[in-house]
Amino acid sequence: MPIARLTDAERDDALARLPHWTLRGDGLAIVRELRFADFGEAFGFMTRVAIAAEKADHHPEWFNVYNRVEITLTTHDAGGLSARDVALAQAIDAMVG
Ligand code: H2B
């Protein structure tokens, strides 16, 4: 089943509630960059996110170098942002604390 893309108003409302996330230039994804003490901390965090993502059947695009993790959330099945990205972003924020 196709997933609804957020309207511009829904997207702006979601971003207002996700201060750690920025809208990608094309408006189709949100991005957050995180830094940890070391690779072990970064990868432990990624493992927790991976488990939550798999449970939700919604997966991040991400990039990791040592202690840095850059996460991009977009919904491929919607061709842009959906409520699933907002939910995963909130779950990630809660994991970071
Ligand atoms: N993750 C993301 N980010 N976008 C999707 O559209 C998506 C996904 N679709 N994870 C899911 C898996 C889909 O491929 C499976 C078949 O449900």
Side-chain angles (χ1 to χ4, degrees), residues 1-5 56-58 75-79 82-84:
M1 206 173 95
I3 301 163
R5 239 172 92 168
D57 192 31
H58 193 65
T75 301
H76 309 118
D77 297 340
S82 78
R84 292 187 185 184

